[in-house]
């Protein structure tokens, strides 16, 4: 599904972060990327999601090169194929849980029938995640663990092919981290969503089918 071929990325302040890095991910696979802070995990995730571009190298998604997409093409790629979960939930404080989850639907045009189907799909996901009872609450009225589950369901709103999770349990206590890890795997199994996550957590990484370590700009097993 995804091939990262010899990409490199440098920053003025940090120097070379990714150095001829290669990565191959199969459809439905679960991949953990580990490494110390500053090793480039977030940079790699942003490049996969086309939030940033490599200095060189290629990104192949379902057989087609996407590395040189325009901003509009990159936005379409993200809206159609990518779901993001970050360490901080980034919920909009003036929207309810239900409204936050439906924000990604605004990026695409939908018929009334499509919107109804999406709402039913999201209702089912919220029930599965145990947050449907929170649908009318605002983010400041729910816990950190609940907010991160809301962020996960929001990331799944447009049925993405790939879910990118950047330190998704980094701000959670052990119990909530365990629950979120199980929920991520449940979504992977039920919907065959390819899961790529960056994490410091060995417990979370060990739940994935593949663990890779980012060292000196390259991925090693």
């Amino acid at each position: 599904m995804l091939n990262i071929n010899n990409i490199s990325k440098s920053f003025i302040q940090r120097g070379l972060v990714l150095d001829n890095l290669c990565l191959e991910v199969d459809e439905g696979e679960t991949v953990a990327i580990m490494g110390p802070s500053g090793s480039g995990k977030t940079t790699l995730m942003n490049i996969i999601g086309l939030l940033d571009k490599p200095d060189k190298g290629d990104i192949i998604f379902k057989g087609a090169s996407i590395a040189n997409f325009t901003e509009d093409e990159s936005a379409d790629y993200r809206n159609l194929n990518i779901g993001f979960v970050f360490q901080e939930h980034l919920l909009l404080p003036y929207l309810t849980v239900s409204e936050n989850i439906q924000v990604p639907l605004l990026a695409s045009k939908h018929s009334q029938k499509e919107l109804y189907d999406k709402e039913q799909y999201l209702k089912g996901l919220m029930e599965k995640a145990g947050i449907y009872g929170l649908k009318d609450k605002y983010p400041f009225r729910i816990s950190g663990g609940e907010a991160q589950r809301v962020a996960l369901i929001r990331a799944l709103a447009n049925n993405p092919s790939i879910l990118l999770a950047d330190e998704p349990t980094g701000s959670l206590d052990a119990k909530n981290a365990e629950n979120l890890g199980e929920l991520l795997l449940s979504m992977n199994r039920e919907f065959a969503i390819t899961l790529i996550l960056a994490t410091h957590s060995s417990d979370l990484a060990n739940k994935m089918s593949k663990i890779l370590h980012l060292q000196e700009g390259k991925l090693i097993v």
Side-chain angles (χ1 to χ4, degrees):
M1 169 184 268
L2 180 70
N3 288 86
I4 306 294
N5 296 328
N6 300 109
I7 63 167
S8 294
K9 182 69 177 179
S10 297
F11 297 94
I12 294 174
Q13 306 94 326
R14 297 168 59 192
L16 185 63
V17 176
L18 304 179
D19 182 15
N20 285 312
L21 180 145
C22 295
L23 172 65
E24 182 176 306
V25 181
D26 294 329
E27 188 170 359
E29 194 170 17
T30 58
V31 180
I33 298 171
M34 302 192 73
S37 296
S39 61
K41 299 187 303 296
T42 295
T43 299
L44 176 57
M45 301 290 271
N46 287 344
I47 286 174
I48 293 172
L50 295 190
L51 292 172
D52 201 355
K53 290 184 178 292
D55 297 331
K56 68 173 187 175
D58 204 0
I59 306 166
I60 309 295
F61 177 70
K62 294 185 176 180
S65 176
I66 63 173
N68 295 313
F69 271 7
T70 65
E71 287 189 15
D72 286 345
E73 289 171 331
S74 296
D76 287 342
Y77 160 78
R78 287 191 296 271
N79 291 337
L80 293 172
N81 300 291
I82 304 294
F84 290 97
V85 180
F86 302 98
Q87 181 171 348
E88 301 299 328
H89 54 73
L90 303 180
L91 300 181
L92 299 173
Y94 48 85
L95 298 181
T96 65
V97 162
S98 181
E99 289 167 342
N100 265 284
I101 285 173
Q102 292 183 35
V103 163
L105 302 184
L106 302 177
S108 304
K109 292 182 179 180
H110 299 284
S111 67
Q112 287 298 109
K113 174 65 164 60
E114 288 170 335
L115 277 176
Y116 175 80
D117 290 343
K118 283 282 189 182
E119 288 168 359
Q120 295 306 302
Y121 161 72
L122 289 173
K123 178 183 177 182
L125 290 184
M126 292 170 71
E127 290 173 340
K128 186 175 184 64
I131 58 171
Y132 185 71
L134 307 175
K135 63 185 177 66
D136 296 321
K137 291 184 178 294
Y138 288 89
F140 68 90
R141 299 295 301 274
I142 64 179
S143 70
E146 289 168 340
Q148 199 64 324
R149 277 182 275 161
V150 174
L152 172 57
I153 302 309
R154 178 182 59 186
L156 299 176
N158 280 326
N159 304 89
S161 302
I162 299 176
L163 182 66
L164 299 175
D166 190 4
E167 296 288 358
T169 61
S171 61
L172 302 180
D173 60 35
K175 182 60 177 175
N176 278 309
E178 173 75 14
N179 290 341
L180 188 72
E182 292 300 328
L183 185 57
L184 284 165
L185 286 177
S186 174
M187 297 302 178
N188 162 260
R189 288 191 296 265
E190 184 166 348
F191 301 105
I193 296 170
T194 303
L195 176 59
I196 304 173
L197 60 86
T199 184
H200 282 99
S201 169
S202 296
D203 290 339
L204 180 58
N206 287 331
K207 297 177 185 294
M208 303 299 113
S209 60
K210 181 190 293 182
I211 301 175
L212 301 172
H213 298 266
L214 188 49
Q215 297 179 6
E216 298 181 352
K218 299 182 188 296
L219 285 171
I220 61 174
V221 177

